[in-house]
Amino acid sequence: MIRVLVVDDSNSVRALLMHILGTAPGLAVVGCAADGEEAVKLARELQPDVITMDLHMPRMDGFEAIRRIMRECPTRIVVVSGSDDRAEVDASFRAIEAGALVLVRRPLGIGNPAHADSARDLVRTVKAMAEVRVVRRWSDARRAARPLQGAPRRLVAVGASTGGPTVLRDILAELPADYPLPVVIVQHLAPGFMDGLATWLGEASGYPVEVLKDGAPLVGGRACLVPEGWQATLGPGLVGRLVLAPPEHGMCPSVSHLFRAIDPELRPATAAVLLTGMGKDGAAELKLLREHGALTIAQDRASAVVYGMPGEALRLDAAMLVLEPAEIGKVLARLPAEPFPSSVFPTLGDLP
């Protein structure tokens, strides 16, 4: 049984969330809090498996409550957002920075036709987060970047899921303002948050980030997020195209589609990165890119919130390098001037 603490300052919202979570098989609501101070206190006393967290509350807001909880009694935290306001959505990513795992839309009321679907999304997210490691321990060991030689790269493609936003922040923070390679990212995210992620990532990393537009040229000096509900293809002329295609691994956009849809002419000149996340999205396609001459990188186990996607890549022998986020950023930053030759890559057996 997954034990859940519900935190929200609205009586009606608390009642709605407690009803949805309390009647779902496998879940039990063990307590509720109306503000951040009470949330921190109950998190210590009840030690729930998952906390659903509101952000705007009296006495102590959700941001500070998350920071306190992650410092004093680390717990899996799901932020439940009820606002469509652009500023509010952008600000929600501060909660991820503070230690929350994911953002999810507040379920619609019982009388709404979309209530059942939105309630299922919340239940599914809470159950999935209960399987995530409570504490993210990023390795302090730093592997010096190897001397880089060889043919230049023209594109960086990145895939991430649960735990991805802060990892993307740390990778992009290592890229210089005049970085010449375009960066295209698929990040699994709840609907309605992609624009907010772009704003937060750009501000938090210091590297410009925007949402990819159909037909837009892919240029250096900025990163592009594939928008929700679309799959992306990357053409030989470094042009991004958005296509209406079915979800893969239940995701749209999906990492698998992005990696596979890189034009064959671009694949040998691509650096592809697979980061933290559940499932297998992108792993087989990372191997395909490696076989076509791309530089392939997977996040290491110690730094990943969930080691499903990068772990599957390692199982398939798809990754040439296995690194923590900051080291991934440093390797990418050095690619344009000093790209890797295939002959200097260590095998997976050589990596710690």
Side-chain angles (χ1 to χ4, degrees):
M1 187 68 71
I2 298 168
R3 305 169 68 253
V4 184
L5 171 64
V6 172
V7 182
D8 200 290
D9 68 334
S10 165
N11 291 334
S12 60
V13 172
R14 281 200 311 276
L16 175 66
L17 297 180
M18 291 173 68
H19 169 74
I20 292 171
L21 298 173
T23 57
L27 300 181
V29 176
V30 295
C32 62
D35 59 60
E37 287 188 9
E38 189 178 10
V40 175
K41 175 176 178 291
L42 291 180
R44 285 195 304 258
E45 293 176 356
L46 300 175
Q47 298 184 8
D49 299 307
V50 180
I51 299 173
T52 66
M53 181 69 72
D54 184 20
L55 292 179
H56 299 287
M57 299 179 290
R59 294 208 298 172
M60 180 189 294
D61 65 21
F63 303 108
E64 181 60 25
I66 292 169
R67 283 189 285 269
R68 288 272 303 275
I69 289 169
M70 296 310 294
R71 184 171 63 245
E72 299 174 17
C73 50
T75 311
R76 306 163 187 89
I77 297 176
V78 174
V79 171
V80 179
S81 173
S83 174
D84 290 322
D85 181 78
R86 174 65 182 271
E88 294 296 319
V89 170
D90 293 354
S92 295
F93 285 92
R94 289 169 45 209
I96 297 289
E97 196 167 32
L101 288 172
V102 293
L103 308 172
V104 65
R105 284 290 183 195
R106 179 188 301 161
L108 297 168
I110 293 175
N112 191 293
H115 166 74
D117 287 341
S118 62
R120 273 194 296 270
D121 287 342
L122 175 63
V123 170
R124 188 183 306 116
T125 299
V126 169
K127 288 184 175 181
M129 292 307 102
E131 303 299 320
V132 173
R133 291 185 309 146
V134 176
V135 181
R136 179 177 59 223
R137 298 185 182 277
W138 285 11
S139 172
D140 290 330
R142 306 288 190 206
R143 286 189 286 277
R146 298 166 175 82
L148 312 177
Q149 306 280 333
R153 303 287 165 180
R154 298 178 60 200
L155 172 71
V156 176
V158 184
S161 188
T162 305
T166 53
V167 174
L168 291 169
R169 174 201 63 192
D170 292 348
I171 291 173
L172 294 176
E174 298 293 336
L175 303 183
D178 59 352
Y179 188 60
L181 301 188
V183 180
V184 180
I185 301 167
V186 163
Q187 166 67 59
H188 299 161
L189 207 60
F193 289 101
M194 198 64 71
D195 287 336
L197 175 61
T199 300
W200 175 80
L201 265 180
E203 294 174 350
S205 70
Y207 192 81
V209 180
E210 59 189 39
V211 177
L212 182 66
K213 295 179 175 59
D214 182 46
L218 304 175
V219 299
R222 71 185 185 205
C224 293
L225 292 162
V226 180
E228 62 193 53
W230 295 88
Q231 305 285 16
T233 65
L234 306 180
L238 285 176
V239 173
R241 292 290 183 185
L242 300 178
V243 296
L244 289 172
E248 297 187 28
H249 303 281
M251 299 297 173
C252 189
S254 85
V255 186
S256 291
H257 193 286
L258 176 69
F259 285 176
R260 192 178 59 254
I262 295 172
D263 188 272
E265 291 184 17
L266 273 178
R267 290 173 185 173
T270 295
V273 183
L274 195 58
L275 303 174
T276 175
M278 293 182 176
K280 302 178 180 181
D281 192 18
E285 290 72 19
L286 191 73
K287 182 175 178 64
L288 172 68
L289 288 174
R290 179 176 184 175
E291 292 169 348
H292 282 235
L295 165 62
T296 56
I297 305 172
Q299 185 177 352
D300 69 342
R301 182 183 296 275
S303 67
V305 170
V306 183
Y307 208 55
M309 287 157 49
E312 179 67 9
L314 264 66
R315 189 186 71 79
L316 296 175
D317 194 24
M320 296 174 174
L321 297 176
V322 182
L323 301 168
E324 65 170 344
E327 290 303 309
I328 293 173
K330 290 173 184 176
V331 166
L332 295 179
R334 296 180 63 183
L335 283 179
E338 302 177 79
F340 282 91
S342 59
S343 60
V344 303
F345 288 124
T347 65
L348 287 179
D350 295 329
L351 292 165

